[in-house]
Amino acid sequence: MEVDVMKKVPVREQDAKERAANFEEVCLGYNEEEAMAEASRCLNCKNAMCVKGCPVSINIPAFIEKVKEGDFKAAYEIISESSALPAVCGRVCPQESQCEGKCIRGIKGEPVSIGKLERFVADWACKNGIKPAKATEKKGKKVAVIGSGPAGLTCAGDLAKMGYDVTIFEALHEAGGVLVYGIPEFRLPKTRVVAKEIENVKSLGVKIETNVVIGKSTTIDELMEKEGFSAVFIGSGAGLPKFMGIPGEQANGVFSANEYLTRSNLMKAFDENSATPIMRAKKAVIVGGGNVAMDAARTALRLGAETHIVYRRSEEELPARVEEVHHAKEEGIIFDLLTNPVEILQDENGWVSGVKCIKMELGEPDESGRRRPVAVEGSEFVIDADCVIMSLGTSPNPLISSTTEGLEVNKWKCIVADEENGKTTKEGVYAGGDAVTGAATVILAMGAGKAGAKGIDEFLSK
């Protein structure tokens, strides 16, 4: 096929009207011809800036060169040296601010579609039964990993490749962490993608025990002192939702985005035959402007609601990925920007009946570098609604830190750990991902998982 080297090969997607009524994946990805054509745009830079922009340091020019040649197996082998979850990353990583954001081709044209090529390679490997390479030598030491989200899976996979005997302990009944309970099916298919990636990690020899709540079922101290684990990595994420503290927040029909997405994704509540039904709102208001807010809004839309996103800053300050905002708009989600809720209104039975809001304007930058929103006096108005979903970020559950002797946390209840190697204040215990940073991205959690594996290997190799 003909290629304009200055422009990306377009990626096929479901029609916006059709996808707004189903939970099938929005992006359909590249076929072999399209992937090879897109790979031909890569300049194969010697000093590859894209690699420096990748939190897990994939050798991007090398794998793309193999795609260009049509050697997809070799491309997968290169990627899997650095990434335990390539089919996930190819779908949900913010490439535009990481690898693609550094792409030299992007200076005068459009950057290479690195994420879409990674997705293609991972999907091809899955379809053709290609697995990551196992360790050739065993270390004879046991390591426990707490949490089976992106940080835990990455750490476990890397340690298994090094030859360690790794067991993941997961609190929920299904492995995957935020990949199964947080990100919707239409962005990240659970059976076709997430389950396959987890099987790849298990194929390395990693064991996963579900329904184990560290801090209740057992403790970190017990794992190390009684069960023979030489080291522990904490990748338990940040699942404790935040609320605004405004009047009416306790009304029926108010959800945290965490609860709403967990019910829909993990419990299959979008299926009318599910044993865990979820409210099918007529008019939903989602408060927040990040990726999770977009996920909650697009889920509510698919469940039949007229959906509004209420965000107190302008579109320029929206923290969500540009692609997610674009998809949300295409699907018909209404953006009420420079708007802030001040009260959730209720009917006589205690159910949400509307959201009282006030208009905002942007003032001077705050400590985050973004312009601070300031309320406009006398601008109050009401958005009718029967459902409100708060998507204001999350913080780590303090259960693990409060039941572990000598584990230091900061004022946000995040575990204190070294960024370079994940080392905490307790010997032999390492941590990374949202449990350390607060809510962040999948790929940053994976980078922290890699750092933790490296730190544990250094500790156990002394």
Side-chain angles (χ1 to χ4, degrees), residues 181-202:
Y181 70 72
I183 303 174
E185 183 78 10
F186 53 82
R187 276 219 296 142
L188 187 61
K190 307 299 171 255
T191 303
R192 185 164 55 83
V193 176
V194 179
K196 299 289 188 185
E197 296 275 62
I198 292 171
E199 285 302 315
N200 282 347
V201 173
K202 289 170 72 174

Side-chain angles (χ1 to χ4, degrees), residues 177-410:
V178 70
L179 306 177
V180 295
Y181 70 72
I183 303 174
E185 183 78 10
F186 53 82
R187 276 219 296 142
L188 187 61
K190 307 299 171 255
T191 303
R192 185 164 55 83
V193 176
V194 179
K196 299 289 188 185
E197 296 275 62
I198 292 171
E199 285 302 315
N200 282 347
V201 173
K202 289 170 72 174
S203 76
L204 297 169
V206 174
K207 296 179 285 292
I208 301 179
E209 293 190 22
T210 56
N211 299 308
V212 179
V213 181
I214 301 299
K216 286 197 176 290
S217 307
T218 186
T219 65
I220 287 176
D221 294 321
E222 288 171 346
L223 289 174
M224 300 182 78
E225 294 166 11
K226 297 181 181 179
E227 297 190 37
F229 288 96
S230 302
V232 175
F233 177 80
I234 303 170
S236 51
L240 200 62
K242 297 177 182 177
F243 287 87
M244 294 186 72
I246 59 176
E249 237 173 2
Q250 302 307 314
N252 296 322
V254 178
F255 298 86
S256 69
N258 253 35
E259 178 189 357
Y260 193 81
L261 290 170
T262 299
R263 278 176 174 268
S264 179
N265 297 332
L266 184 60
M267 311 305 289
K268 305 293 185 288
F270 58 81
D271 184 344
E272 291 183 353
N273 298 317
S274 169
T276 311
I278 195 167
M279 179 182 185
R280 290 178 175 264
K282 293 178 181 176
K283 196 168 184 179
V285 169
I286 288 75
V287 181
N291 289 325
V292 177
M294 300 302 143
D295 286 345
R298 296 173 70 196
T299 297
L301 181 83
R302 283 161 170 76
L303 291 172
E306 177 190 303
T307 306
H308 293 246
I309 284 178
V310 172
Y311 181 62
R312 62 183 187 151
R313 289 183 166 93
S314 69
E315 183 167 349
E316 191 176 326
E317 285 82 22
L318 277 169
R321 292 182 68 190
V322 171
E323 180 180 0
E324 300 308 317
V325 175
H326 170 68
H327 282 155
K329 285 183 173 180
E330 274 191 333
E331 291 165 7
I333 287 168
I334 301 159
F335 283 73
D336 294 295
L337 302 173
L338 288 169
T339 300
N340 203 38
V342 293
E343 183 181 356
I344 295 170
L345 307 178
Q346 305 171 54
D347 64 19
E348 63 276 9
N349 297 314
W351 284 87
V352 172
S353 63
V355 182
K356 185 178 180 182
C357 300
I358 191 167
K359 285 290 184 184
M360 311 294 285
E361 57 186 14
L362 296 178
E364 295 301 313
D366 60 15
E367 60 277 359
S368 72
R370 294 180 298 173
R371 292 169 67 193
R372 186 188 301 276
V374 180
V376 178
E377 285 189 30
S379 64
E380 292 90 348
F381 68 102
V382 173
I383 300 175
D384 291 334
D386 57 355
C387 172
V388 176
I389 302 168
M390 293 291 182
S391 181
L392 305 167
T394 53
S395 59
N397 190 314
L399 181 62
I400 291 175
S401 57
S402 65
T403 57
T404 306
E405 193 71 35
L407 190 65
E408 185 181 339
V409 297
N410 61 24

Side-chain angles (χ1 to χ4, degrees), residues 2 24-27 34 50 65 68 73 155 157 175 209 215 217 241 256 294 341 370 391 400 408 419 430 449:
E2 287 188 20
E24 299 300 314
E25 190 170 13
V26 169
C27 179
E34 290 164 343
C50 56
E65 185 67 19
K68 179 181 172 182
K73 183 175 184 288
C155 184
E209 293 190 22
S217 307
S256 69
M294 300 302 143
R370 294 180 298 173
S391 181
I400 291 175
E408 185 181 339
E419 188 178 327
Y430 293 71

Side-chain angles (χ1 to χ4, degrees), residues 47 67 82 103 108 162 197 209 219 302 423 433 439 443:
N47 180 26
V67 174
S82 304
C103 178
K108 291 185 178 179
M162 294 173 192
E197 296 275 62
E209 293 190 22
T219 65
R302 283 161 170 76
K423 185 177 181 181
I443 189 62

